[in-house]
Amino acid sequence: MDTVEKKNHANVLQFILKLIAWVLLYLSFWRFDDFYKTHHFLNDVSNAFNLFLTSSILFSIGRYIVITLYNKRHENRSVRGNFVLGISRLTAVLNTSVAIIAIMLAIGINPREFVTSMTIVAMAIAVTFREYITNMISGLFIMFSDQLSVGDRVKIGEYKGRIIDITF
């Protein structure tokens, strides 16, 4: 089995495990309704976990559909993998964002109030990390363009090298 097949196999296994966990959690809501009503902390944690699993499953399905459609559309020509890489990175960012929201919900923080109270701090962070944010956006443009791809050889000034990964 080559590296791509192993990664695809791991992705399918991970998706199946998420789906099984989601079904079991959903059944626990139905079966142990009285238990969740009396244990508010466990109810909050399980609802947050349910939010994360549901969104992660939906993101995985969406990622699979978009990549399949893209590959089907470009199957007859030599296409670089930047689009697929970009979609995978975007899915990871979305999963991380939902995980942070789920953690907030699990510990009793209202995400909407938290974001509202953090707007001034967020502005200061944006100004402080402006270059990092600009580099992240530039990385997204590179991922979704065909200008550079993993495996390309580049020369910048006196430096030569090969692109081994494109990140944010």
Side-chain angles (χ1 to χ4, degrees):
M1 217 189 285
D2 68 344
T3 308
V4 174
E5 288 178 10
K6 286 180 183 177
K7 190 172 182 179
N8 288 338
H9 183 69
N11 286 343
V12 169
L13 183 62
Q14 184 182 22
F15 178 77
I16 290 171
L17 290 175
K18 283 191 284 191
L19 201 56
I20 290 170
W22 181 78
V23 168
L24 290 174
L25 187 62
Y26 179 76
L27 290 175
S28 78
F29 286 145
W30 181 69
R31 177 77 172 107
F32 302 110
D33 186 41
D34 294 333
F35 176 79
Y36 284 120
K37 285 180 181 175
T38 58
H39 297 84
H40 297 290
F41 177 72
L42 288 177
N43 186 41
D44 291 344
V45 169
S46 58
N47 282 329
F49 190 55
N50 183 42
L51 170 71
F52 174 73
L53 283 176
T54 303
S55 62
S56 181
I57 289 168
L58 291 174
F59 293 152
S60 295
I61 291 170
R63 177 186 169 275
Y64 176 77
I65 290 170
V66 169
I67 290 174
T68 301
L69 290 174
Y70 180 79
N71 286 337
K72 191 72 168 163
R73 184 175 182 200
H74 298 288
E75 67 186 346
N76 293 332
R77 63 182 174 135
S78 176
V79 177
R80 300 175 181 193
N82 287 3
F83 184 80
V84 174
L85 181 65
I87 292 296
S88 297
R89 302 272 194 224
L90 196 58
T91 304
V93 168
L94 289 172
N95 276 327
T96 303
S97 300
V98 172
I100 291 169
I101 291 170
I103 290 169
M104 285 181 188
L105 290 172
I107 59 177
I109 298 172
N110 184 344
R112 182 175 293 156
E113 292 174 4
F114 180 78
V115 169
T116 304
S117 66
M118 294 301 293
T119 54
I120 295 174
V121 174
M123 285 181 58
I125 290 172
V127 169
T128 304
F129 295 105
R130 185 185 80 224
E131 288 184 36
Y132 295 110
I133 294 169
T134 304
N135 288 339
M136 198 166 94
I137 292 171
S138 297
L140 274 172
F141 283 132
I142 291 171
M143 279 184 223
F144 286 105
S145 72
D146 285 334
Q147 294 174 1
L148 297 172
S149 183
V150 174
D152 285 351
R153 295 196 177 277
V154 294
K155 181 179 178 186
I156 301 172
E158 61 193 52
Y159 299 103
K160 296 179 188 176
R162 195 177 82 196
I163 298 174
I164 57 172
D165 194 13
I166 299 173
T167 63
F168 290 123

